[in-house]
Amino acid sequence: MDLLTYFGLASFTIQWVALASLAMLYLVRRRLRRASPARIAAAALTALLCSTWLVTALAWLVLRNTWLSPAEGWLLFATKISTLALLVGLLTLIAFQSHWRLRQLAVRAKQAELEALQARIRPHFLFNTLNTGAALVHLRPQDAERLLLDLADLFRAALAGPREIPLSEEIALSRRYAEIEGLRFGDRMRVDWDIPSPIPPLQVPTLSIQPLIENAIRHGVEPAANGGHILVRLLRLSDRLEILIENDLPPAAAPNLHTGHKVGLESSRARIRALTGGHGDVTTRIRNGRHITTITLPI
């Protein structure tokens, strides 16, 4: 066989390997929709190897008397092709991870710095808190003092800039935020904290959980005439830690029903993914009439 024909058959085989890999990824696209970039890359490498074996088997059956040497044997031929595909896949995976990490670092540096002053402690929250404090000064001075102290802690964390803090400290800041809002909503807002002790010593981006608590209050408590119930749970599994924030769905007539829980969600997701190298994530789902936000942190 001349070199040009050999090159043509090799190119034809590579194209079929690529098409088969894309077809496999397309079949599992729904499972990969919310997967981390690292898992997607691993799935792509697995699809590449599987498609290589499939095309190799078909090529051996069809072309072994023309293009391939029958004396070479199926096992040796498959090993050589698989090794080549594995090397190409690993090199591509390394290049992808390097590019993804650089991109996440850039997103983390720019977005976290902006979010620290703009999206975490919002102007309407400040005005509402000050109005609540003014109303409590004469009637309940102790609650007014606690409100101002909690507000000072939140602003201190926001003005400190983007950084990483222990998970226990982030949960404490989120509790302070919920206490401030609880003074404003009164009996309309019910918050339960199912947090085991001790809290695992993990690092999280500063004020990454607080915006999700804010979303739960904004969409699950504020629009409803009777208020709502929020549940914050911390679950420790074998290889990861999950923080679940549950709230009631907003009424159908609420004006922000279709806006979803977008405020702070993308920011928290991007920063947690960047901190954990893609192994952590923030996902949302609806179950039994409740909106559930799940923060996943690898152990």
Side-chain angles (χ1 to χ4, degrees):
M1 180 182 297
D2 60 85
L3 184 61
L4 185 60
T5 304
Y6 186 89
F7 177 78
L9 289 173
S11 301
F12 184 72
T13 303
I14 293 173
Q15 291 177 11
W16 273 105
V17 169
L19 290 174
S21 301
L22 292 175
M24 291 180 183
L25 293 175
Y26 179 79
L27 293 176
V28 296
R29 66 190 185 282
R30 294 184 179 178
R31 294 180 178 270
L32 298 177
R33 183 173 299 173
R34 294 189 177 275
S36 64
R39 291 186 177 180
I40 294 176
L45 181 59
T46 302
L48 175 63
L49 290 177
C50 292
S51 61
T52 299
W53 294 333
L54 177 62
V55 174
T56 299
L58 293 176
W60 178 262
L61 293 175
V62 177
L63 303 174
R64 63 177 174 179
N65 294 324
T66 56
W67 178 30
L68 307 175
S69 174
E72 185 179 21
W74 153 254
L75 184 60
L76 180 59
F77 174 69
T79 301
K80 291 164 60 175
I81 299 298
S82 300
T83 302
L84 181 60
L86 182 61
L87 290 176
V88 173
L90 289 176
L91 290 175
T92 305
L93 182 61
I94 293 173
F96 166 77
Q97 288 181 342
S98 299
H99 172 74
W100 183 82
R101 287 176 181 175
L102 290 175
R103 182 179 178 182
Q104 289 299 309
L105 287 175
V107 170
R108 180 183 172 189
K110 293 180 180 180
Q111 189 171 3
E113 185 174 358
L114 177 63
E115 293 285 330
L117 295 177
Q118 182 180 1
R120 314 232 187 106
I121 306 297
R122 305 182 186 283
H124 76 267
F125 166 69
L126 175 60
F127 298 147
N128 291 335
T129 302
L130 293 178
N131 289 332
T132 303
L136 293 175
V137 166
H138 298 292
L139 298 177
R140 294 151 57 188
Q142 292 183 347
D143 289 340
E145 180 182 3
R146 178 163 57 91
L147 179 145
L148 294 177
L149 291 175
D150 290 342
L151 182 64
D153 289 337
L154 285 171
F155 267 90
R156 187 180 299 111
L159 295 174
R163 59 193 177 99
E164 290 147 15
I165 60 176
L167 176 60
S168 58
E169 185 175 341
E170 174 64 18
I171 291 178
L173 288 173
S174 300
R175 281 180 180 269
R176 291 187 179 93
Y177 176 83
E179 289 174 357
I180 292 174
E181 293 288 57
L183 291 173
R184 181 163 70 97
F185 287 102
D187 295 337
R188 292 180 56 212
M189 175 175 162
R190 302 175 301 278
V191 182
D192 291 327
W193 299 82
D194 185 7
I195 308 295
S197 182
I199 298 175
L202 297 179
Q203 296 290 113
V204 296
T206 180
L207 292 176
S208 55
I209 299 178
Q210 178 270 331
L212 305 179
I213 302 291
E214 179 180 357
N215 284 340
I217 296 173
R218 180 183 178 189
H219 297 279
V221 176
E222 189 171 0
N226 297 325
H229 172 245
I230 298 174
L231 173 62
V232 183
R233 292 189 297 164
L234 190 151
L235 303 177
R236 180 164 187 170
L237 305 178
S238 59
D239 60 342
R240 68 187 185 277
L241 197 71
E242 290 188 352
I243 303 170
L244 285 76
I245 303 170
E246 302 182 14
N247 63 272
D248 300 319
L249 291 177
N256 58 356
L257 174 63
H258 299 289
T259 60
H261 286 57
K262 299 299 182 182
V263 180
L265 177 62
E266 294 299 331
S267 171
S268 296
R269 178 183 291 129
R271 290 184 291 131
I272 286 178
R273 283 181 176 179
L275 175 65
T276 60
H279 298 288
D281 202 358
V282 178
T283 58
T284 61
R285 68 182 187 275
I286 296 176
R287 186 179 64 184
N288 298 330
R290 304 269 292 173
H291 185 281
I292 304 174
T293 302
T294 304
I295 304 171
T296 303
L297 299 171
I299 300 179

